[in-house]
Amino acid sequence: MRNDRHLAIKLRKKGASYNKICKELDIPKSTMHYWFRNLRWSQEIKKALTEKAQLLATKRIKAMAQANKRKWAEWRHRHRKTAKKEFSILKSIPLFAAGLMLYWGEGDNKPRGDVRLTNINPQMIRLFYKFLQEICSIPKEKIHVRLLLYPDLSNKKSQYFWHKSTKIPLSQFGKSSVIYGRHPTKRLENGICLLRVSASGDLKEKIITWINLLSRDLIKQKRA
């Protein structure tokens, strides 16, 4: 028997994995498989090592999930705290309340994701665009527009209509999407406009916090 095989068996019986034995004795893994392929006791060690590895992996996944949960909880708490401080300053501004009510009614209120508002009314789009810039201090290059159009509508004409009506530069318009309505004749003349702020997780957290604070204040107010 080769001296390295004797040492490999000794290490294996102590519960060492193939990787550990190969590294310690500088033996190819293929050789290890050949030596131990028909040994029942080695298979039992392999099974025990696999179960142990699975248990450790499960514990690591749980630990990572808990750490990630704490991270996001701290992130939300930080942005909500900032939003509460800003609310006391902004709540008396009409544009602030108007923008929040628009988003509450027409925006994407999912807990995560981009700040998005979709509507067929150019005035609503223009007002929310103004809210994003003047209240939220969002640079215009982070605000993007996409149109949802029926197949028979001209993309160029529709973009120009929304550009002229909302005063949003054409450079902020992205590729339009085609939609198909159920009714053959009832069509939205200029399509649907979708306004989106990229990388806006922190903004969304603040807007949702502002909406909750404003709605609570309005409910509490008594008629004079």
Side-chain angles (χ1 to χ4, degrees):
M1 181 184 291
R2 287 171 48 179
N3 187 50
D4 52 358
R5 183 176 180 181
H6 173 74
L7 293 174
I9 292 174
K10 196 172 182 179
L11 288 170
R12 185 62 169 173
K13 286 185 174 180
K14 289 182 179 179
S17 66
Y18 281 4
N19 287 335
K20 184 177 180 180
I21 297 171
C22 291
K23 186 177 180 181
E24 191 166 327
L25 301 180
D26 194 24
I27 300 172
K29 190 174 283 189
S30 59
T31 302
M32 296 293 301
H33 284 295
Y34 176 73
W35 284 348
F36 296 107
R37 69 188 186 282
N38 295 321
L39 299 177
R40 183 179 294 178
W41 61 265
S42 180
Q43 295 301 319
E44 291 175 355
I45 290 173
K46 180 181 178 181
K47 183 180 178 182
L49 289 172
T50 300
E51 290 175 352
K52 183 179 179 181
Q54 289 174 343
L55 181 62
L56 290 173
T58 301
K59 288 182 178 179
R60 281 197 296 268
I61 291 171
K62 286 182 178 179
M64 288 173 63
Q66 289 174 353
N68 194 49
K69 188 176 181 180
R70 286 194 299 270
K71 174 187 172 183
W72 283 110
E74 291 170 0
W75 179 88
R76 285 192 295 269
H77 176 74
R78 184 169 67 253
H79 288 294
R80 287 174 183 174
K81 188 176 180 181
T82 301
K84 287 177 181 178
K85 289 180 180 178
E86 294 173 341
F87 179 77
S88 60
I89 300 170
L90 298 170
K91 65 180 181 180
S92 60
I93 302 174
L95 180 60
F96 175 72
L100 293 181
M101 292 301 100
L102 269 180
Y103 192 77
W104 197 9
E106 304 295 333
D108 180 357
N109 287 301
K110 293 178 182 178
R112 296 182 184 179
D114 291 336
V115 168
R116 299 190 303 176
L117 183 136
T118 308
N119 209 271
I120 61 172
N121 189 321
Q123 285 182 299
M124 286 190 178
I125 297 296
R126 185 175 180 180
L127 184 60
F128 193 68
Y129 183 68
K130 184 180 176 71
F131 164 80
L132 290 173
Q133 288 190 302
E134 297 184 13
I135 299 297
C136 304
S137 301
I138 303 298
K140 67 179 184 179
E141 58 268 18
K142 283 195 172 185
I143 305 174
H144 308 283
V145 178
R146 182 164 65 91
L147 301 183
L148 309 177
L149 304 175
Y150 291 108
D152 56 335
L153 294 179
S154 165
N155 180 62
K156 188 175 180 179
K157 288 182 179 179
S158 298
Q159 284 193 346
Y160 182 75
F161 166 81
W162 285 99
H163 154 67
K164 187 177 179 180
S165 303
T166 62
K167 308 303 180 187
I168 300 175
L170 284 170
S171 59
Q172 292 172 240
F173 282 69
K175 185 178 179 181
S176 300
S177 297
V178 177
I179 57 174
Y180 296 88
R182 295 180 180 178
H183 199 280
T185 58
K186 290 183 179 179
R187 292 281 194 267
L188 297 172
E189 188 177 353
N190 299 292
I192 305 168
C193 185
L194 187 153
L195 198 67
R196 178 179 66 87
V197 181
S198 59
S200 53
D202 54 341
L203 174 62
K204 191 166 196 176
E205 193 68 37
K206 288 170 71 173
I207 287 178
I208 292 174
T209 301
W210 287 338
I211 288 172
N212 291 333
L213 292 171
L214 181 62
S215 61
R216 187 181 64 188
D217 278 10
L218 292 174
I219 290 170
K220 285 183 178 179
Q221 284 181 9
K222 294 181 179 180
R223 189 185 300 177

